[in-house]
Amino acid sequence: MKRILIILFCGFSACTTPTPEKAIPNFNPIISEMTINQITDTLKQKKEVQDLDRIGKGVKHAASLWRIEDGSAADFAAFCKLNFIAKEGERELFFDKVSKNLESIYGHFNKITLDLKENIDLNNGKTLDIDKEFSAYSVGAHLLDDLYANKIAFMIALNFPYYTLEEKGKLDHSFSRKAWAMVRLGDVLVSRVPAELQQAAIKAEADADIYISEYNIEMGKLRTNMGKQIFPDNLVLLSHWNLRDEIKANYGNKETGLEKQEMIYKVMERIINQDIPEKVINNPQVLWAPFTNKVFENNIEIACPAEPDRRYQQIINNFKAAKAIDAFSPEMNTLLSRKFSGEMEIPLEEVEALFTGYLRSPQLAKIGTVIEKRLGRSLRPYDIWYDGFKSRSAIPQHDLDAKTTTRYPNPKAFEADMPRMLMQLGWSKERADFLSGKITVDPARGSGHAWGASMKGEKAHLRTRIPETGMDYKGYNIAVHEFGHNIEQTNSLYNIDYYLLNGVPNTAFTEALAFIFQSRDLRLLGISNNQPDQEKLSTLDTGWSLMEIMGVGLVDMKIWKWLYAHPESTAAELKTAVLSISKEVWNAYFAPVFGIKDQPILGIYSHMISNPLYLAAYSYGQIIEFQLEEHLAGKNFSNEIDRIYQQGKMIPQRWMEGAVGTKISVQPILNKLDKALN
Ligand SMILES: [Zn+2]
């Protein structure tokens, strides 16, 4: 409720919290290069040091984090002399102790966070305001500040320096697991960003998220040019997800499907162009004819100003917050590099090359021709969401619901059935019991999610929403997806050799396993769903949806490049840029497939507004899933899943080579498309 009030009273989310101008500390490195060199030379005198390179690297890294409040340059020099560990055996002992303590800190903080959020996340009855306050409280917010103040952070940085992604990529294949774990320790302290700047960035994203979460279109109030209503009275769709899903749902509607799809696309265009009348957003009181853009109140046409570029102001707010952090992140001084080289660990240029290479593939136009034949008309821009290749279960929905509601009346019934599901997928009884024993199933208040543990001894949580009547098929399908996440989380925590290697390279890798599980949901219910041409159709579906998600990912990246080239731009200028970028990407890769030019549809995604530069991860998730499925065919599924996910947090390309023997590539998809198309 609180959130809604902010928007209604203020109208413009950028002004929701007027923060007073506050001096943010400027990043001025106080340790000169000369001092760094002098300290390095002194330390090199120590006879015990085997790897001389790590001295210079460690001193430089620690110096990059040292601030005036930590002491003078002389203090820094004295600190390095005292704390640099020359003997390799002692350095390993230091590493073991730090690993153990980090597991305890991260593990307990994660446990506390789960506890504090429980009354909000779980269906625990009535919530009070105190529940919301605890849920929003971040128990680990001051951890890094503390570790700098007590100098633990500098002791780690000096002895376990940060390796750039390029340096990691060059590490020898004979590099041991322990050596990789030590490199991961260097990642813990990559930069020292003031907490207020971090919080400002989180706030900008949260505000954008509120803007998006309130952006509903009252479909029952839409009218054709002739004043006809074509959507049901109470249909309210959130932009863009629900609008997109309604386009998908109407492929099966022979009578009015096309008319509805065209109207939804017009609504989307008006949102992207920001000529949507402000009064029709989230408002059931007026009627709107999207094609003429006329608005009616009590059957009388009224004048309505357009939404004043609020959509693009959100992106500008995110950009300004990111820009403030840049100076404190010397290794990765743009959000583009922090998201790609940092979080994803795949450089931006590599992502772009993969996407544009795929989008130029001649196979895509051939899929387009197949779709045109199936639809009996030429392609329209919104056919980027064509979903007629999806295999529909031959079993009616209510039969599936009946099966899952009986089998899973409550979360504990699902939990009790997990060992059987795993054994059906090939795990031994012993192993199935072990994995299931590390997962607990909770009743979610909202939609489901999977939340892993951060230390051994704690369980991963599978959250699922089960109505009084039992788990319906849709809920079951999502629960099986989350179960896949839990299997990754358990394998990559409990069966990993070094704590600092726990996890996966990035979110795309855990999503891949979640989707692999999800696609086996019917089999786990004991239903075989082999329809003729199923594999061929599913390949065409993958090929087509990958094109769409890569397209929007490219637009997202180009928007941020443009922002960095035009840092002072206004929301109106950004809007013009987004429109031209969306059309540019469309014309380069989609127009040749669709035969239509200058379409802005790729600018509609909500992620671009509230979750900057995340879209590319979806493409990677799909590619990784496909490569894993190809690899798993004909092999022992459970053994391979265990082996692959016990690699932990390697860099993405090394992980993929370890998993399937090759790097991340779209070639397997293209090969299979060739077969499906011929
Ligand atoms: Zn997921």
Side-chain angles (χ1 to χ4, degrees):
M1 278 313 278
K2 218 178 189 175
R3 288 180 162 195
I4 297 166
L5 291 177
I6 292 171
I7 292 285
L8 288 183
F9 289 135
C10 192
F12 189 64
S13 77
C15 68
T16 46
T17 44
T19 29
E21 285 295 321
K22 196 176 149 196
I24 296 288
N26 260 319
F27 173 58
N28 292 315
I30 64 157
I31 313 295
S32 70
E33 212 173 315
M34 202 175 78
T35 311
I36 293 173
N37 291 337
Q38 278 169 359
I39 300 170
T40 306
D41 289 342
T42 316
L43 292 176
K44 279 187 179 169
Q45 310 300 319
K46 298 205 180 193
K47 299 267 177 303
E48 305 93 329
V49 186
Q50 289 163 6
D51 174 10
L52 288 176
D53 283 351
R54 86 168 164 90
I55 301 178
K57 209 170 165 51
V59 174
K60 195 172 156 220
H61 185 211
S64 78
L65 303 169
W66 193 273
R67 305 277 183 271
I68 192 84
E69 64 265 31
D70 302 312
S72 64
D75 293 334
F76 178 71
F79 175 87
C80 291
K81 272 175 213 156
L82 185 67
N83 290 289
F84 180 76
I85 304 169
K87 287 183 188 159
E88 206 42 48
E90 210 167 291
R91 186 166 166 266
E92 282 188 27
L93 191 60
F94 176 101
F95 170 79
D96 293 340
K97 288 172 192 286
V98 172
S99 299
K100 183 168 176 290
N101 291 343
L102 285 181
E103 178 169 2
S104 179
I105 292 173
Y106 293 156
H108 285 99
F109 277 180
N110 185 51
K111 161 120 185 73
I112 296 172
T113 305
L114 273 159
D115 287 350
L116 298 187
K117 287 186 185 297
E118 206 167 82
N119 289 331
I120 296 294
D121 287 347
L122 302 192
N123 199 3
N124 276 358
K126 185 176 158 66
T127 57
L128 301 178
D129 280 348
I130 191 75
D131 291 314
K132 288 180 204 155
E133 294 304 324
F134 270 121
S135 172
Y137 169 61
S138 166
V139 67
H142 299 286
L143 172 67
L144 282 176
D145 286 346
D146 292 345
L147 295 181
Y148 283 111
N150 61 22
K151 300 283 190 289
I152 287 175
F154 294 108
M155 292 166 86
I156 295 174
L158 177 64
N159 292 291
F160 294 91
Y162 171 72
Y163 283 70
T164 63
L165 180 59
E166 202 184 347
E167 287 167 335
K168 285 178 189 132
K170 283 181 188 153
L171 293 175
D172 200 81
H173 275 81
S174 62
F175 220 57
S176 72
R177 295 274 302 170
K178 184 160 193 174
W180 270 106
M182 288 175 162
V183 168
R184 283 301 183 203
L185 181 53
D187 290 345
V188 173
L189 300 157
V190 53
S191 61
R192 186 177 179 183
V193 179
E196 55 262 56
L197 296 186
Q198 302 267 33
Q199 274 153 16
I202 292 168
K203 169 108 180 58
E205 278 193 32
D207 285 347
D209 207 38
I210 294 169
Y211 166 79
I212 288 296
S213 68
E214 297 296 323
Y215 210 110
N216 288 303
I217 303 296
E218 297 276 343
M219 303 305 282
K221 305 293 173 185
L222 299 189
R223 294 294 180 267
T224 64
N225 288 356
M226 304 304 289
K228 192 177 72 169
Q229 175 183 349
I230 59 173
F231 290 98
D233 273 342
N234 296 320
L235 186 65
V236 180
L237 300 180
L238 184 69
S239 178
H240 77 286
W241 294 280
N242 296 160
L243 292 172
R244 174 202 62 189
D245 290 346
E246 187 65 18
I247 286 179
K248 288 186 177 188
N250 272 292
Y251 280 107
N253 174 357
K254 292 274 171 292
E255 292 82 43
T256 57
L258 193 60
E259 189 183 19
K260 288 180 172 175
Q261 289 172 326
E262 288 290 335
M263 188 178 274
I264 297 168
Y265 184 40
K266 183 46 81 179
V267 171
M268 286 182 163
E269 279 188 306
R270 300 247 179 245
I271 294 171
I272 303 168
N273 288 329
Q274 290 283 278
D275 53 8
I276 181 170
E278 191 168 25
K279 217 171 180 173
V280 307
I281 304 162
N282 214 17
N283 181 10
Q285 305 304 326
V286 292
L287 301 181
W288 176 35
F291 288 96
T292 58
N293 216 13
K294 288 181 178 170
V295 181
F296 303 88
E297 199 163 18
N298 303 320
N299 288 324
I300 298 161
E301 188 184 340
I302 53 167
C304 271
E307 185 186 10
D309 296 336
R310 285 201 297 145
R311 178 178 178 84
Y312 298 101
Q313 187 62 45
Q314 313 301 320
I315 305 182
I316 299 262
N317 296 350
N318 277 328
F319 172 69
K320 294 232 157 100
K323 190 96 185 48
I325 291 174
D326 290 351
F328 293 88
S329 190
E331 297 281 2
M332 289 174 272
N333 63 0
T334 65
L335 189 73
L336 284 155
S337 59
R338 288 195 290 280
K339 286 285 175 185
F340 290 98
S341 296
E343 281 173 33
M344 256 179 94
E345 293 199 309
I346 301 173
L348 175 68
E349 301 70 37
E350 205 177 309
V351 176
E352 284 177 322
L354 185 84
F355 287 12
T356 53
Y358 182 77
L359 290 172
R360 283 198 196 98
S361 307
Q363 288 88 343
L364 299 179
K366 291 184 190 164
I367 309 177
T369 310
V370 174
I371 296 175
E372 282 190 331
K373 269 194 201 131
R374 290 166 76 97
L375 289 174
R377 61 164 170 80
S378 334
L379 290 177
R380 297 286 297 139
Y382 50 79
D383 292 325
I384 55 173
W385 294 305
Y386 174 74
D387 84 335
F389 293 134
K390 286 251 179 329
S391 68
R392 300 267 173 266
S393 171
I395 301 132
Q397 181 81 19
H398 68 267
D399 286 3
L400 292 171
D401 286 341
K403 226 175 165 91
T404 56
T405 46
T406 321
R407 198 180 277 210
Y408 306 116
N410 53 50
K412 289 299 147 194
F414 191 88
E415 184 175 310
D417 198 33
M418 289 192 306
R420 180 203 60 83
M421 289 194 250
L422 290 178
M423 283 162 69
Q424 195 164 338
L425 291 172
W427 272 277
S428 69
K429 177 161 192 333
E430 192 195 2
R431 184 81 185 138
D433 284 342
F434 173 83
L435 290 168
S436 306
K438 306 292 180 221
I439 302 163
T440 182
V441 182
D442 307 324
R445 198 182 283 280
S447 65
H449 61 262
W451 193 322
S454 294
M455 66 183 204
K456 288 178 224 67
E458 285 300 315
K459 290 187 179 188
H461 293 258
L462 191 163
R463 265 80 186 266
T464 172
R465 187 176 186 167
I466 303 188
E468 295 276 295
T469 46
M471 186 184 256
D472 59 21
Y473 172 69
K474 200 175 173 198
Y476 165 78
N477 176 269
I478 295 169
V480 176
H481 173 99
E482 306 304 342
F483 190 27
H485 279 304
N486 293 136
I487 293 302
E488 172 274 300
Q489 290 159 349
T490 303
N491 252 310
S492 68
L493 174 67
Y494 278 88
N495 298 108
I496 210 90
D497 40 7
Y498 295 98
Y499 178 71
L500 281 153
L501 286 177
N502 86 84
V504 280
N506 63 48
T507 53
F509 291 80
T510 181
E511 287 304 337
L513 188 59
F515 283 114
I516 287 172
F517 265 64
Q518 196 173 359
S519 66
R520 285 158 174 76
D521 70 330
L522 287 178
R523 197 190 303 178
L524 290 172
L525 282 179
I527 299 169
S528 69
N529 194 37
N530 287 330
Q531 295 178 46
D533 281 352
Q534 189 181 308
E535 198 179 345
K536 184 176 133 184
L537 293 179
S538 125
T539 304
L540 295 178
D541 187 57
T542 303
W544 193 249
S545 67
L546 190 57
M547 170 181 76
E548 178 257 347
I549 198 72
M550 279 185 174
V552 296
L554 264 189
V555 169
D556 199 19
M557 291 184 255
K558 281 177 188 283
I559 291 173
W560 278 78
K561 282 185 165 180
W562 185 90
L563 282 166
Y564 272 101
H566 305 85
E568 301 302 330
S569 61
T570 63
E573 287 161 348
L574 175 63
K575 174 177 73 180
T576 310
V578 171
L579 281 166
S580 82
I581 288 168
S582 303
K583 289 176 189 171
E584 176 199 320
V585 172
W586 178 272
N587 288 345
Y589 308 108
F590 291 72
V593 177
F594 284 73
I596 321 164
K597 279 194 159 177
D598 295 328
Q599 297 299 310
I601 194 167
L602 300 170
I604 191 62
Y605 260 70
S606 292
H607 305 72
M608 293 171 189
I609 313 301
S610 60
N611 211 334
L613 297 172
Y614 188 75
L615 281 169
Y618 288 110
S619 296
Y620 274 87
Q622 285 194 24
I623 298 165
I624 294 162
E625 181 195 354
F626 194 90
Q627 282 185 278
L628 288 180
E629 285 284 18
E630 290 286 286
H631 169 81
L632 290 164
K635 295 201 178 59
N636 182 316
F637 179 85
S638 54
N639 286 356
E640 279 303 287
I641 294 297
D642 280 354
R643 178 189 69 79
I644 289 170
Y645 279 89
Q646 286 168 17
Q647 295 184 98
K649 195 174 165 58
M650 298 299 291
I651 52 172
Q653 298 294 12
R654 287 285 168 93
W655 189 99
M656 206 60 187
E657 284 175 316
V660 305
T662 55
K663 290 190 171 174
I664 299 169
S665 160
V666 290
Q667 202 52 51
I669 298 181
L670 291 173
N671 293 346
K672 211 162 175 186
L673 275 176
D674 281 335
K675 270 192 212 158
L677 286 162
N678 286 327

